[in-house]
Amino acid sequence: MFNNPSDLPYELPDFAAVDVDTLVPAARMGMDDHAAELAAIADNPEEPTWENTIVALEASGETLQRVLAIIFNYAGALATEKIQQVESEVSPLLADHVGAMYLNEDLWNRVQSMPEQAEGTEEAAVLRRWRRRFVRGGANLDPEQREELKKLDSRLAELSTSFGTQLLRETEAAAVELSEDEVAGLSEATKARLKADAREANKDGYLVRLGLPTVQPILEELSNPEARRKVYQASLGRAGTANDDAILEIIRLRAHRAEMLGYSSHADFIAEEETAGSVEAVEELLKTVTPAAVSNAQGEYKRLADKQAVSDEAQEGGVEAADWPYWDAQLRAEELDVDDDELRKYFPLSRVMEQGAFFAAQRLYGITVNRREDLQGYHPDVTVWEVREEDQPDGTPGEGIGLILMDMFARPTKRGGAWMNSFVDQARLTGQQPVVVNVLNIAKPQEGDEALLSLDEVATVFHEFGHALHGLLSDVVYPSVSGTNVPCDFVEFPSQINENWALEPAVLANYARHVDTGEPLPAELLQAVQKQARWGQGFSTTEYVAACWVDLAWHKLSAQEAESVTSVEEFEAEALRRAGIDLDGLIAPRYRSAYFNHIFAGGYSAGYWSYLWAEVLDADGFQAFVDTDAAVGTPDGADGATSEIKDIDEDDVRFAGDRFRRMILSRGASIDYEDAFWMFRGQQRSVEPLLRRRGLAGSGA
């Protein structure tokens, strides 16, 4: 089924025809076909031209890409034991295949011989990308080093896959069983869900499955201190030392690989391709934010500890790490006068998605998103939606743009977290239109009930749809620079920009309606939501930057230094101490090394900081929408409430949206990122808007 494009609309894969048992042979066949295509390019007796070299490279490997799209999407969202085995077999084979391409001297000579393309054109970006790929893939190494690099890449692929597979198993095994007494404080709906999860796992009582981050959302609701402690310790200690050997070997191999290629560390190797440009620039940002975050976190802790001390639930020893989310929620509910369970009722998933995220995109970009009941996803929970340009004034239907699959609910075979991925990338060269997927891990409600979202989950829906828009609205010629094929610290910029629209008054008013009554969000709750968006930024920023420092510490090691590390736990603790994050264990990194999937099994090694870098762009860049009167803007008052309310003209909204689409979303990796930001924003980026947004300005920085 992979030899030719799918006959379904937009080349949507025919998931019903996928036979998992054939995926490994299909991948091997795809690699063989691609290798033959590459050999034909390399051995072409004609003089190298743009068409017979670069265009040929861009158009090659379509069969392989169709197979890999299934394998790697399934590996994240439908990771059965069979799929895990497929991934573990295919990953090292793919590393060998890709490595062989970049080490092909004849192919490299043809790419090198290409004349420079006109600066600022898509062709110039494509040529730079191919040359950089070959150099970073070892094209300039001697024969002995090339062979060593092949083995390194193959082994790293094996280790990365095994880390992710092991973590999935360990996270599921670490699910916490709670008794009736231990679930005190939970809503009846939450208890029903946990009981259903327990029955599904053939267990008694209630079962709390863990998400990827250290702090589990349920800690905010559990009033039983022992239950909180059980959940927190299970989360913090998951995997134990099971992945330690893999972590240490990954770090050593990455450091050695970087030095072979002429870099002092893997962190330097990664930073070169990011918009940040250097590890020093990243550390400068982290050093600006970290002390402010820690200072605010200390103030937040004192306030919630004071509340706990005078409450009926005061306990000996005060507030521990496991208690922080609970007492923070109690303080937030008191000061903002908002019941989180009641607030959720205004955020039913279907409305957040359709009347929220889709509606905002229609206002900004003139696109429509409609359900395609005739098309099926890879799981019964997955829905398929068609994205089209707006209809013409004469009623002519707008042109089709692509498809988006929405996979919203958690399940045991899905890896934790939320992400966007592609089944088909947009490219005018191949005539392909995008097919993308948004994957979240929202708790699935009982049959007949609506999933009700927390404010964080609402933001996640908008965030991931922002990534989807980046892929869907791509308008480039060449596949390699399409959509989200951009540096990690830029790929989060459009998604984080899109989060802002979740709380824009016009958008919020369109989707935030009570699930039972249909009543709009009351004015007093709206103000509470605005304030809540800035609540607890000391804690959340500290746990995030702690993970950034751990990531950088591992990946700044030289090959010699990496060899000397023997204890993952001790290394992590020392990295946090050096970063100035020493809060007596009250705040752990968002991800500890043992379950840091982003950097050991995902694509964010030495780059977890990219979310913060992109948020600098977002916090500053969104002001461009405000300046063009397309948005009210984010809360900027001392109490977190919006200090200025504007009359928004829909023409202004569309004008600003079209600018963002034209300058950023449609261009993929064909742009100079700094120039593109400057043109859109009208000035160079500044960290100050980020500090103000997070309430960190003047707080210990």
Side-chain angles (χ1 to χ4, degrees):
M1 65 171 286
F2 298 107
N3 287 330
N4 299 299
S6 165
D7 291 331
L8 293 173
Y10 301 95
E11 299 183 21
L12 175 73
D14 184 359
F15 299 111
V18 173
D19 181 351
V20 173
D21 290 333
T22 68
L23 289 177
V24 173
R28 290 180 181 274
M29 178 190 69
M31 291 179 211
D32 289 343
D33 289 350
H34 191 211
E37 290 175 305
L38 296 173
I41 299 169
D43 299 338
N44 189 337
E46 298 178 5
E47 287 296 311
T49 66
W50 183 261
E51 286 70 25
N52 70 23
T53 301
I54 302 301
V55 171
L57 281 171
E58 290 280 332
S60 68
E62 286 194 18
T63 297
L64 177 59
Q65 288 306 313
R66 284 191 282 269
V67 183
L68 296 180
I70 294 292
I71 292 173
F72 291 122
N73 275 284
Y74 279 26
L78 205 65
T80 62
E81 287 191 15
K82 275 190 173 182
I83 287 295
Q84 291 175 33
Q85 182 60 37
V86 168
E87 185 188 23
S88 67
E89 287 187 47
V90 169
S91 291
L93 295 175
L94 181 62
D96 290 346
H97 172 72
V98 173
M101 175 173 68
Y102 294 138
L103 297 177
N104 184 317
E105 288 191 59
D106 292 333
L107 203 55
W108 173 222
N109 288 336
R110 293 183 74 90
V111 172
Q112 276 186 301
S113 71
M114 289 295 104
E116 297 297 332
Q117 303 296 301
E119 197 58 40
T121 63
E122 187 176 326
E123 286 74 18
V126 168
L127 182 56
R128 278 195 301 271
R129 197 174 183 88
W130 276 107
R131 285 176 173 171
R132 190 167 59 237
R133 280 179 173 180
F134 273 89
V135 172
R136 291 168 65 86
N140 289 332
L141 298 178
D142 63 39
E144 185 176 336
Q145 289 174 315
R146 290 182 176 201
E147 286 304 311
E148 185 178 0
L149 186 66
K150 287 181 185 178
K151 294 176 183 177
L152 279 177
D153 285 341
S154 181
R155 180 58 179 159
L156 280 168
E158 291 176 2
L159 290 166
S160 178
T161 300
S162 67
F163 181 98
T165 300
Q166 181 72 18
L167 177 56
L168 180 65
R169 293 171 183 161
E170 295 286 344
T171 300
E172 182 63 18
V176 181
E177 296 180 60
L178 298 178
S179 66
E180 186 69 43
D181 290 340
E182 290 175 318
V183 294
L186 300 183
S187 68
E188 291 303 315
T190 300
K191 287 194 285 188
R193 173 173 56 80
L194 299 185
K195 187 175 279 292
D197 286 346
R199 285 196 300 269
E200 184 182 352
N202 296 315
K203 297 182 183 295
D204 297 324
Y206 302 85
L207 188 68
V208 179
R209 288 195 167 107
L210 301 179
L212 274 185
T214 298
V215 173
Q216 303 298 308
I218 203 170
L219 292 175
E220 293 189 3
E221 304 173 55
L222 289 169
S223 59
N224 186 310
E226 279 305 310
R228 294 196 296 264
R229 195 169 292 115
K230 284 174 66 173
V231 172
Y232 186 77
Q233 291 302 325
S235 179
L236 196 67
R238 87 186 81 168
T241 60
N243 268 329
D244 281 13
D245 288 345
I247 290 170
L248 294 176
E249 188 175 358
I250 288 171
I251 292 304
R252 290 165 186 162
L253 293 180
R254 284 176 178 169
H256 183 51
R257 186 183 191 281
E259 290 194 1
M260 283 180 61
L261 294 171
Y263 300 86
S264 59
S265 69
H266 182 70
D268 289 294
F269 173 77
I270 294 296
E272 180 191 56
E273 280 209 308
E274 303 300 313
T275 64
S278 70
V279 174
E280 291 73 24
V282 173
E283 290 185 321
E284 181 181 351
L285 174 60
L286 289 176
K287 287 174 181 176
T288 299
V289 173
T290 299
V294 170
S295 176
N296 269 29
Q298 290 168 332
E300 291 168 4
Y301 178 77
K302 184 179 186 308
R303 294 178 66 239
L304 63 89
D306 287 345
K307 176 173 176 57
Q308 186 264 4
V310 299
S311 74
D312 294 337
E313 301 176 59
Q315 62 194 52
E316 187 177 348
V319 176
E320 301 176 2
D323 304 317
W324 188 316
Y326 176 78
W327 286 105
D328 183 67
Q330 298 297 304
L331 187 64
R332 183 176 70 236
E334 177 184 283
E335 295 200 1
L336 302 186
D337 192 24
V338 58
D339 181 329
D340 285 342
D341 285 336
E342 187 62 26
L343 185 60
R344 283 175 179 267
K345 293 179 182 177
Y346 290 91
F347 298 138
L349 172 60
S350 60
R351 289 198 63 89
V352 171
M353 190 169 72
E354 297 176 54
Q355 282 75 44
F358 296 172
F359 169 74
Q362 183 177 5
R363 291 177 74 228
L364 286 161
Y365 312 117
I367 62 176
T368 61
V369 187
N370 295 296
R371 178 79 183 271
R372 288 290 300 262
E373 298 277 1
D374 58 317
L375 300 177
Q376 303 302 310
Y378 50 82
H379 185 275
D381 288 342
V382 179
T383 55
V384 182
W385 304 74
E386 183 177 25
V387 183
R388 305 185 70 89
E389 299 286 5
E390 64 186 339
D391 293 347
Q392 299 299 311
D394 64 1
T396 303
E399 292 184 4
I401 293 173
L403 298 177
I404 178 169
L405 286 70
M406 304 299 283
D407 184 356
M408 297 286 101
F409 299 123
R411 53 181 172 266
T413 55
K414 184 188 286 187
R415 289 175 179 167
W419 63 91
M420 168 265 182
N421 212 343
S422 297
F423 283 101
V424 182
D425 283 335
Q426 178 275 331
R428 295 202 300 274
L429 178 69
T430 59
Q432 291 176 311
Q433 293 175 281
V435 177
V436 305
V437 57
N438 272 175
V439 184
L440 277 72
N441 269 281
I442 295 167
K444 189 174 182 179
Q446 297 296 298
E447 188 71 32
D449 290 342
E450 177 85 70
L452 304 178
L453 308 190
S454 68
L455 195 57
D456 282 346
E457 288 171 330
V458 170
T460 301
V461 170
F462 275 80
H463 179 99
E464 296 306 331
F465 190 60
H467 282 308
L469 289 169
H470 201 179
L472 287 163
L473 300 183
S474 175
D475 186 16
V476 298
V477 175
Y478 300 97
S480 69
V481 294
S482 177
T484 58
N485 294 324
V486 299
C488 287
D489 59 353
F490 195 82
V491 78
E492 298 298 335
F493 173 41
S495 59
Q496 292 183 184
I497 280 281
N498 207 57
E499 280 189 48
N500 290 280
W501 299 106
L503 296 184
E504 267 297 296
V507 178
L508 192 67
N510 199 62
Y511 75 86
R513 293 182 175 271
H514 197 281
V515 67
D516 297 322
T517 68
E519 290 296 314
L521 190 71
E524 62 272 16
L525 270 181
L526 170 58
Q527 188 174 39
V529 165
Q530 290 180 328
K531 292 179 181 179
Q532 189 167 328
R534 288 177 58 153
W535 185 274
Q537 287 296 323
F539 180 95
S540 62
T541 307
T542 298
E543 67 164 1
Y544 169 75
V545 296
C548 292
W549 284 116
V550 169
D551 175 25
L552 274 183
W554 281 121
H555 291 111
K556 280 180 61 181
L557 295 173
S558 67
Q560 183 176 358
E561 290 168 337
E563 291 291 339
S564 67
V565 179
T566 57
S567 169
V568 171
E569 185 174 2
E570 290 176 7
F571 180 86
E572 185 179 279
E574 176 60 18
L576 294 173
R577 187 196 63 77
R578 287 199 310 269
I581 302 174
D582 187 7
L583 294 167
D584 298 322
L586 287 169
I587 301 180
R590 184 171 296 175
Y591 305 102
R592 296 189 67 191
S593 300
Y595 48 92
F596 209 157
N597 196 72
H598 284 75
I599 68 170
F600 292 119
Y604 282 79
S605 65
Y608 188 62
W609 50 266
S610 59
Y611 291 93
L612 187 65
W613 193 275
E615 192 178 350
V616 171
L617 300 179
D618 155 39
D620 197 0
F622 191 69
Q623 189 63 34
F625 288 97
V626 177
D627 291 347
T628 54
D629 292 326
V632 171
T634 53
D636 57 6
D639 63 355
T642 302
S643 62
E644 178 189 1
I645 300 295
K646 300 179 179 180
D647 290 328
I648 300 299
D649 187 316
E650 290 301 310
D651 289 339
D652 291 334
V653 176
R654 185 62 184 279
F655 171 77
D658 283 343
R659 284 185 73 242
F660 191 65
R661 178 178 181 175
R662 183 176 68 255
M663 296 179 181
I664 305 294
L665 296 178
S666 69
R667 301 290 303 281
S670 69
I671 53 177
D672 179 291
Y673 305 107
E674 286 194 16
D675 286 350
F677 179 84
W678 187 91
M679 289 176 64
F680 175 70
R681 176 67 179 96
Q683 63 186 49
Q684 295 296 346
R685 65 177 180 84
S686 167
V687 73
E688 290 305 315
L690 168 68
L691 297 176
R692 289 197 301 272
R693 173 192 286 184
R694 287 181 171 253
L696 303 178
S699 301

